[in-house]
Amino acid sequence: MNDNEIKELLDAEAERINTPAFIADDPVQFPRRFERQEDVEIVALLSAIIAWGNRKMICRDAEKILDIMGDHPADFVRDGAYEDLDPKMNLHRTFFVSNFQHLLRGLREIYRKYPNLDAFSESIHAGETEAPAWHLVGAMNEIIADANGGLRDPRSLPQNLKTTALKRINMMLRWLVRDDGIVDMGLWKSIPKSKLFIPLDVHVGNTARELGLISRKANDRTTVDLLTNRLREWRPDDPCIYDYALFGIGMKL
């Protein structure tokens, strides 16, 4: 396939997949249930953090977390209600309540100072950097560690920011930043959608290689850069629209 044919395929697949029907079986359904921005953000972050493995299992366990947090997740965080939970309770695969508590202690500190995570992102100028997702996570990691006596937990947020593809956070940012009003919610103003990066996992990487968009085998930060920059050639304003296309094509392969 030549470049024009690949672009036509990607455009067609993105249009086919990026529809309201996509929501029902995807973790994006959970933040979409809420109206207050701080609730949406917290649920988006938690749904993304556990988004590895079987989609049905992810959605099942996201429901479990929402049952724990109740109707107002931001209030649950601000009140420190998570401290009453059993740290040994399993929430998703290798993610336990102890990891949940570690993360929420840091979020509580952020929400003490800022009305929402978008305001925090703006305060650290994430949208002005070359790699907003990595800049955002780096800043969050420092606050989370401080809230936990200096301890760091890679099950809460990735720590190896020089190499990690940061797939789950890039997916969360797609939900919160892209503003076409179909699947993604477009709540955030601190990061432009032109600076989003593809949420790279095994399936997206394999599909991109099948199409000749990348040749590098590792699914790491360097590959995310290469793939996203390739897609920016066609959609510099919105490269992550093609996340839907790569997902859809991957389902067919």
Side-chain angles (χ1 to χ4, degrees):
M1 298 175 71
N2 61 39
D3 277 5
N4 287 337
E5 290 171 332
I6 295 173
K7 183 180 185 302
E8 287 178 5
L9 174 63
L10 292 176
D11 286 337
E13 283 297 303
E15 184 175 358
R16 183 178 72 85
I17 296 294
N18 184 26
T19 66
F22 180 86
I23 296 168
D25 296 322
D26 191 80
V28 74
Q29 66 181 280
F30 300 105
R32 290 182 65 91
R33 295 179 185 178
F34 296 86
E35 295 184 1
R36 294 193 308 176
Q37 178 159 330
E38 58 267 43
D39 291 329
V40 174
E41 291 174 338
I42 289 170
V43 174
L45 177 61
L46 289 165
S47 299
I49 282 175
I50 67 165
W52 83 93
N54 179 277
R55 287 174 91 206
K56 289 184 178 179
M57 181 189 300
I58 293 165
C59 291
R60 180 200 69 193
D61 292 345
E63 290 280 13
K64 182 193 303 184
I65 291 172
L66 288 190
D67 285 345
I68 291 170
M69 300 183 81
D71 295 334
H72 300 290
D75 294 344
F76 178 87
V77 173
R78 290 190 181 105
D79 294 343
Y82 48 83
E83 298 291 3
D84 296 330
L85 302 174
D86 179 1
K88 297 180 181 179
M89 184 194 309
N90 181 257
L91 296 176
H92 177 71
R93 303 187 74 179
T94 59
F95 188 77
F96 289 79
V97 163
S98 59
N99 310 115
F100 181 66
Q101 291 167 328
H102 189 276
L103 173 68
L104 296 193
R105 289 180 191 119
L107 283 184
R108 187 185 190 191
E109 292 305 310
I110 292 173
Y111 280 98
R112 279 176 170 169
K113 297 177 182 178
Y114 302 93
N116 50 58
L117 281 177
D118 190 28
F120 171 70
S121 173
E122 184 176 12
S123 76
I124 62 170
H125 307 290
E128 299 171 26
T129 66
E130 291 299 315
W134 287 266
H135 186 76
L136 176 65
V137 171
M140 291 179 68
N141 277 339
E142 294 306 313
I143 293 173
I144 294 168
D146 286 347
N148 286 277
L151 295 176
R152 295 175 182 268
D153 180 9
R155 289 197 178 96
S156 295
L157 286 174
Q159 304 294 315
N160 56 332
L161 297 183
K162 290 184 178 179
T163 58
T164 178
L166 215 58
K167 177 257 179 178
R168 288 168 282 172
I169 301 304
N170 280 316
M171 182 176 69
M172 179 198 79
L173 289 180
R174 196 203 78 208
W175 295 345
L176 294 173
V177 171
R178 285 196 71 256
D179 57 357
D180 61 9
I182 302 174
V183 174
D184 300 318
M185 296 170 283
L187 291 179
W188 276 27
K189 307 305 177 188
S190 63
I191 299 173
K193 63 184 177 183
S194 61
K195 287 194 171 183
L196 294 177
F197 284 75
I198 287 290
L200 178 67
D201 60 15
V202 172
H203 302 293
V204 166
N206 289 342
T207 302
R209 293 181 191 95
E210 289 280 344
L211 293 172
L213 296 172
I214 53 172
S215 58
R216 200 165 181 277
K217 293 182 179 180
N219 291 321
D220 59 8
R221 181 173 176 175
T222 298
T223 302
V224 174
D225 287 341
L226 291 170
L227 177 56
T228 305
N229 288 336
R230 183 80 170 87
L231 297 171
R232 283 196 178 111
E233 294 174 11
W234 292 317
R235 287 294 299 269
D237 63 316
D238 187 17
C240 276
I241 183 63
Y242 291 130
D243 185 36
Y244 292 103
L246 294 171
F247 172 85
I249 295 168
M251 296 291 285
K252 293 179 177 180
L253 293 177

